[in-house]
Amino acid sequence: MSTQLNETHDPSLTSWVDSANGGGSDFPIQNLPFCVFRRRGSSEAYRGGVAIGDQVVDLAALGDAFAGAARTALQLAAREQLNGLMDAGPAAWSALRLALSRFLRSDAPARPDVLIAQADAEYAVPAQIGDYTDFYTSIHHATSVGKLFRPDEPLLPNYKWVPIGYHGRSSTIGVSGRDFRRPRGQTRSSSGNEPQFGASRRLDYELEVGIFVGGGNAQGDSIEAGQAEEHVFGLCLLNDWSARDIQAWEYQPLGPFLSKNFATTISPWIVTLEALAPYRAAWQRDAADPQPLPYLDYPALRAEGAFDIELEVLIETEGMRREGVAPARISQSNFRHSYWSVAQLVAHHTVNGCALRAGDLLGSGTQSGPDAREAGSLLELSAGGKQPLSLPNGEQRVFLEDGDRIVMRGWAARDGRPRIGFGEVAGTVLPAR
Amino acid sequence: MSTQLNETHDPSLTSWVDSANGGGSDFPIQNLPFCVFRRRGSSEAYRGGVAIGDQVVDLAALGDAFAGAARTALQLAAREQLNGLMDAGPAAWSALRLALSRFLRSDAPARPDVLIAQADAEYAVPAQIGDYTDFYTSIHHATSVGKLFRPDEPLLPNYKWVPIGYHGRSSTIGVSGRDFRRPRGQTRSSSGNEPQFGASRRLDYELEVGIFVGGGNAQGDSIEAGQAEEHVFGLCLLNDWSARDIQAWEYQPLGPFLSKNFATTISPWIVTLEALAPYRAAWQRDAADPQPLPYLDYPALRAEGAFDIELEVLIETEGMRREGVAPARISQSNFRHSYWSVAQLVAHHTVNGCALRAGDLLGSGTQSGPDAREAGSLLELSAGGKQPLSLPNGEQRVFLEDGDRIVMRGWAARDGRPRIGFGEVAGTVLPAR
């Protein structure tokens, strides 16, 4: 996919939806992220929507508004799940984006009849996720977690060569706002051999970027790194809830399982790669790091392999809610720190002939940055549970308590360009059963 | 689920389908396994079928043959995927089995119009597999593979407490006969730090039993071990193809990924737990082994937690095919050696609130037995690639070569009861791209 800019990126564009203009919104007309939604509390069918300001464009209400490729793409985008649109490929995505941009511009006729206020909407997971893969792309996260699990060898010898990943659970992926119960499980006993059983006492979040696969590949085929972004529909925010005590006991030798598969939460909005084209960044490597193997290399990698997306995590405890204290930011990071690019993840995933399908979800892994305050999990922020975080109302946290609400936000903004926001992904910990 | 026998288990029953009678078939009237099929080479819709002798009963052709609960279940079983039937639960499965048994008995009117010869049929993966989980239930496999990967600590401290499992890939699960390409990938270099890239040179099979989940559980809920078999529709054979060199380099710290997800092959037939009721076996533990934690214990565990299912692996090389040499058996084992029961896998998988869905597939993990010739993979049979196997035509194997065809078979048979066969799962290694 080219990162060439086109008329939809013009910073001077404004919309007849006033709330999209003026710089305060995550969703100016240059963004146009997709979701699946319906009126809150209704029994309407879910259908595709696009964010503009504080409104959702109801794509199922647009009818015959567009022609040609945009019309075909609109029909796919209006469905209950976006797999068809994702499968349609970059030309279709681009045609629909252009048509939506023109439809929403200030000089086009206002069509408030196709809008629903976001405050009145509820969202669903926007695609049937056939398979969910979670990667481990932050070398800062891998190193600091490695120090806790393996003090003698924090970063394993394969890390700088292999985009480490593993398969996760698609059945428990939910959309922002869907709360979940604290998991129960086996944990290592502090005394003796017999493990303990009970509710996790080291429940954590992980700040990640989600990557929705567009058109896939046939089993046995591979997607070349240079073409890989043509197979990526867009990005979202992802919280990979993790039970560290369950993880520490179960993860050898086959990796995390029950410590992760109880809940994963994503933001409702998928921001397309085209919307993010003005926010590409150089791929970051230390001079001492090895060059990527040829199947992980491609012309655009070094200049613009990364995405400059600011990320932050906020916590709101039950106590803070009760006292009216605003959610407190406990971490900020940036997706540009990722050791592996999105295209490299796709190329690596398929180099062995593994089939990706439209709607598959890849997690980036926890996006910790180089600085300690950029750590993307409590495990790191609390140095393995040893250094409590102090919250504005005087509470402390090492891991999550029941009632804690975690909110993640993301946005791209630089060079005076409009803010391309991801909205938020939020979830609250309910007590164990 | 009760393992009480009923009229469908009567060993004296015979069918008006002659090939089902006389003891030579995998599919006597006491078995009645399900598949999804169509006429070979046709463009017909796939639909549900049941094996009887060398025929398939076309469930879509049965129309109004049954009444009541069996009729409702038949409508679900006739569909292109069996998820609806799997979701319907044990009472529906049992009603349909009884109706099929009565329909096919020697004293019922012959209905050859609803039969298609298995020789004229082709099969599909019988359900939409939402998530695929692979376990590691053979302590013999875990110990001998552990010796190769970690000579100092073959069996990790968690093994006897935690039914170890990890998530696999559903997009690359295929049905018997669907061949696959040898995967490419990174492997550890014998000299120096830089890994090699190329076709896997240590390609292996893994002899497993597949477990199709029936009705699932809501996220946040758990399935109790004592009720877990009510959530299992049936069993099949599963070959978890594995690239050992890719696995050794990539698997730390998050587990196997590209070394496994290029292909998994299952048999077309799902044998129901009800058909296997006469072949339950005692759950096997050494006296020194710990008792299972309470959430993994249930009344029927010790007396009949296991299944007495014979398993075997045959190899046919290109040379053997050319020379007309019959496939050679290289391993035989039995599912009763599994350290964890099927019910324990379901209870463990959901104890943290992870949601299972009808049609989900669990792999048992490689079913190696206590004896060396019962090893369920070449990695074990060749002692990590050091001791070649000699084949009847003079060839040798440490790992799989291009053109090798692996066939796995399984059957239950004892006490003079009819053979409840699983048919076979076969696959051939194609050269790397």
Side-chain angles (χ1 to χ4, degrees):
Chain A
M1 176 177 293
S2 158
T3 53
Q4 285 182 334
L5 304 194
N6 58 42
E7 66 171 83
T8 66
H9 298 106
D10 182 346
S12 70
L13 291 180
T14 54
S15 171
W16 49 261
V17 180
D18 286 337
S19 58
N21 308 324
S25 174
D26 265 1
F27 308 120
I29 192 169
Q30 292 82 2
N31 191 347
L32 304 175
F34 289 87
C35 74
V36 155
F37 82 103
R38 66 180 179 187
R39 280 188 177 78
R40 183 180 299 276
S42 77
S43 54
E44 293 174 355
Y46 281 100
R47 66 270 191 187
V50 161
I52 183 77
D54 59 9
Q55 304 289 309
V56 188
V57 181
D58 184 347
L59 297 180
L62 285 188
D64 293 337
F66 304 155
R71 179 178 177 161
T72 310
L74 176 64
Q75 287 165 349
L76 298 170
R79 293 186 185 168
E80 192 163 352
Q81 295 181 311
L82 299 181
N83 298 70
L85 176 67
M86 292 172 175
D87 200 36
W93 307 335
S94 203
L96 180 56
R97 175 179 165 86
L98 180 59
L100 285 164
S101 174
R102 290 177 176 169
F103 176 83
L104 288 165
R105 282 178 204 168
S106 296
D107 59 3
R111 285 284 307 275
D113 57 302
V114 301
L115 301 182
I116 293 173
Q118 287 165 28
D120 298 332
E122 63 185 6
Y123 305 94
V125 172
Q128 181 182 322
I129 298 169
D131 282 291
Y132 161 50
T133 303
D134 200 18
F135 284 95
Y136 198 53
T137 68
S138 164
I139 195 168
H140 310 292
H141 173 71
T143 304
S144 49
V145 170
K147 271 181 197 157
L148 299 170
F149 281 75
R150 296 172 306 278
D152 49 326
E153 192 181 24
L155 199 66
L156 295 168
N158 56 9
Y159 189 87
K160 291 186 175 182
W161 299 99
V162 182
I164 297 290
Y166 69 107
H167 288 291
R169 182 104 199 149
S170 64
S171 71
T172 50
I173 298 173
V175 77
S176 181
R178 207 208 37 190
D179 304 331
F180 68 94
R181 287 192 179 279
R182 176 183 298 272
R184 304 180 305 165
Q186 290 189 37
T187 57
R188 188 181 279 120
S189 170
S190 49
S191 62
N193 264 332
E194 183 160 350
Q196 294 180 303
F197 178 81
S200 169
R201 287 160 301 159
R202 291 165 71 93
L203 185 62
D204 203 352
Y205 62 81
E206 288 193 339
L207 170 63
E208 301 198 17
V209 173
I211 300 151
F212 270 101
V213 173
N217 60 304
Q219 189 170 355
D221 288 349
S222 303
I223 297 173
E224 302 288 329
Q227 278 76 56
E229 288 193 5
E230 296 171 22
H231 296 262
V232 175
F233 179 70
L235 308 183
C236 66
L237 302 171
L238 186 152
N239 186 343
D240 175 26
W241 305 97
S242 300
R244 302 299 180 190
D245 41 2
I246 297 173
Q247 185 177 359
W249 174 235
E250 75 169 2
Y251 92 107
Q252 288 283 22
L254 299 183
F257 181 49
L258 298 191
S259 54
K260 299 277 196 172
N261 68 8
F262 57 91
T264 303
T265 315
I266 59 175
S267 61
W269 303 106
I270 309 176
V271 177
T272 63
L273 290 205
E274 191 173 354
L276 292 165
Y279 306 92
R280 303 303 296 243
W283 186 62
Q284 299 182 352
R285 285 285 163 117
D286 286 344
D289 288 342
Q291 293 300 308
L293 292 183
Y295 79 94
L296 295 172
D297 210 345
Y298 56 101
L301 172 63
R302 285 164 189 79
E304 53 182 31
F307 293 89
D308 187 2
I309 301 171
E310 300 283 345
L311 302 167
E312 68 175 15
V313 181
L314 301 97
I315 191 168
E316 182 192 60
T317 69
E318 218 165 69
M320 291 164 75
R321 263 196 303 284
R322 201 170 43 232
E323 299 159 31
V325 176
R329 186 167 71 189
I330 51 179
S331 178
Q332 50 186 358
S333 188
N334 192 300
F335 188 38
R336 73 171 180 271
H337 299 310
S338 178
Y339 194 81
W340 300 104
S341 77
V342 169
Q344 287 175 319
L345 301 185
V346 170
H348 181 67
H349 206 320
T350 61
V351 74
N352 67 341
C354 179
L356 297 183
R357 296 177 289 195
D360 284 352
L361 181 64
L362 315 181
S364 65
T366 309
Q367 289 305 302
S368 301
D371 194 275
R373 77 194 160 86
E374 293 172 323
S377 68
L378 284 173
L379 181 70
E380 294 159 86
L381 289 172
S382 72
K386 292 193 205 72
Q387 295 168 12
L389 278 71
S390 293
L391 304 182
N393 66 337
E395 286 185 279
Q396 292 197 320
R397 282 291 179 277
V398 284
F399 290 102
L400 296 172
E401 309 271 332
D402 293 346
D404 285 356
R405 182 167 181 263
I406 291 292
V407 179
M408 296 173 176
R409 296 186 185 137
W411 64 93
R414 67 178 184 198
D415 309 333
R417 288 197 159 272
R419 172 187 174 100
I420 303 295
F422 284 72
E424 66 176 37
V425 55
T428 302
V429 181
L430 305 178
R433 193 167 283 278
Chain B
M1 177 179 290
S2 158
T3 55
Q4 284 182 333
L5 304 194
N6 58 43
E7 66 171 84
T8 66
H9 297 106
D10 182 348
S12 69
L13 291 180
T14 55
S15 173
W16 49 260
V17 181
D18 286 339
S19 58
N21 308 323
S25 173
D26 264 2
F27 307 122
I29 192 168
Q30 292 82 3
N31 190 347
L32 305 175
F34 288 86
C35 75
V36 154
F37 82 104
R38 66 180 178 187
R39 279 187 178 76
R40 184 179 300 277
S42 77
S43 56
E44 293 173 356
Y46 282 99
R47 65 270 190 187
V50 162
I52 183 77
D54 59 9
Q55 305 289 311
V56 187
V57 181
D58 183 346
L59 297 180
L62 285 189
D64 293 337
F66 304 155
R71 180 178 178 163
T72 310
L74 176 65
Q75 288 165 349
L76 298 170
R79 292 187 185 166
E80 192 164 352
Q81 294 180 312
L82 299 181
N83 299 69
L85 177 65
M86 291 172 174
D87 200 36
W93 308 334
S94 202
L96 180 56
R97 175 179 165 86
L98 180 61
L100 284 164
S101 174
R102 291 177 175 168
F103 176 83
L104 288 166
R105 283 179 204 168
S106 296
D107 59 4
R111 285 286 305 276
D113 57 302
V114 301
L115 300 181
I116 292 172
Q118 287 165 27
D120 298 333
E122 64 185 7
Y123 304 94
V125 172
Q128 181 182 321
I129 298 170
D131 281 291
Y132 162 50
T133 303
D134 201 17
F135 284 94
Y136 198 54
T137 69
S138 164
I139 195 168
H140 309 293
H141 173 71
T143 304
S144 49
V145 170
K147 272 182 197 156
L148 299 169
F149 281 74
R150 295 173 306 276
D152 48 328
E153 192 180 25
L155 199 66
L156 295 168
N158 57 9
Y159 189 87
K160 292 187 176 181
W161 298 101
V162 182
I164 296 291
Y166 69 107
H167 287 292
R169 183 103 196 150
S170 63
S171 72
T172 50
I173 298 174
V175 77
S176 181
R178 207 209 36 194
D179 305 331
F180 68 94
R181 288 192 179 279
R182 177 183 297 273
R184 304 180 303 166
Q186 290 189 38
T187 57
R188 188 181 278 121
S189 170
S190 48
S191 62
N193 264 333
E194 184 158 349
Q196 295 179 305
F197 179 81
S200 169
R201 287 160 301 157
R202 292 166 72 91
L203 185 61
D204 203 353
Y205 63 82
E206 288 194 337
L207 169 63
E208 300 198 18
V209 172
I211 300 151
F212 271 102
V213 173
N217 60 303
Q219 189 171 354
D221 288 350
S222 303
I223 297 173
E224 302 289 328
Q227 278 76 56
E229 288 194 5
E230 296 171 22
H231 296 263
V232 175
F233 178 69
L235 308 183
C236 66
L237 301 171
L238 186 153
N239 187 342
D240 176 27
W241 306 96
S242 300
R244 302 300 181 189
D245 42 1
I246 296 173
Q247 184 177 358
W249 175 237
E250 76 170 359
Y251 92 107
Q252 288 281 23
L254 299 182
F257 181 49
L258 298 191
S259 54
K260 300 277 196 173
N261 68 9
F262 56 92
T264 303
T265 317
I266 59 175
S267 60
W269 303 107
I270 309 176
V271 177
T272 62
L273 290 205
E274 191 173 355
L276 291 165
Y279 307 92
R280 303 302 297 245
W283 186 61
Q284 298 181 354
R285 286 285 164 116
D286 287 343
D289 287 344
Q291 294 300 308
L293 292 182
Y295 80 93
L296 295 172
D297 209 345
Y298 56 103
L301 172 63
R302 285 163 189 81
E304 53 182 31
F307 293 88
D308 187 2
I309 300 172
E310 300 283 344
L311 301 167
E312 68 175 14
V313 182
L314 301 97
I315 190 169
E316 183 192 60
T317 69
E318 216 165 71
M320 292 164 74
R321 263 197 302 283
R322 202 169 46 234
E323 300 159 29
V325 176
R329 185 168 70 188
I330 50 178
S331 178
Q332 50 185 358
S333 189
N334 193 300
F335 189 36
R336 71 170 181 271
H337 299 310
S338 177
Y339 194 81
W340 299 105
S341 76
V342 169
Q344 286 174 320
L345 301 185
V346 170
H348 182 67
H349 207 320
T350 60
V351 74
N352 68 341
C354 179
L356 298 182
R357 296 176 289 195
D360 284 352
L361 181 64
L362 315 181
S364 65
T366 309
Q367 288 304 301
S368 301
D371 193 275
R373 78 193 161 83
E374 294 171 323
S377 69
L378 284 173
L379 181 70
E380 294 160 87
L381 289 172
S382 72
K386 293 194 205 73
Q387 295 167 13
L389 277 71
S390 293
L391 304 181
N393 66 337
E395 285 185 280
Q396 292 197 319
R397 282 293 180 277
V398 283
F399 289 103
L400 295 173
E401 309 272 334
D402 292 346
D404 285 356
R405 182 168 181 265
I406 291 292
V407 180
M408 296 174 177
R409 295 186 186 136
W411 64 91
R414 68 178 183 197
D415 308 334
R417 289 197 160 271
R419 174 187 172 100
I420 302 297
F422 283 73
E424 65 176 38
V425 56
T428 302
V429 180
L430 305 177
R433 191 168 284 276

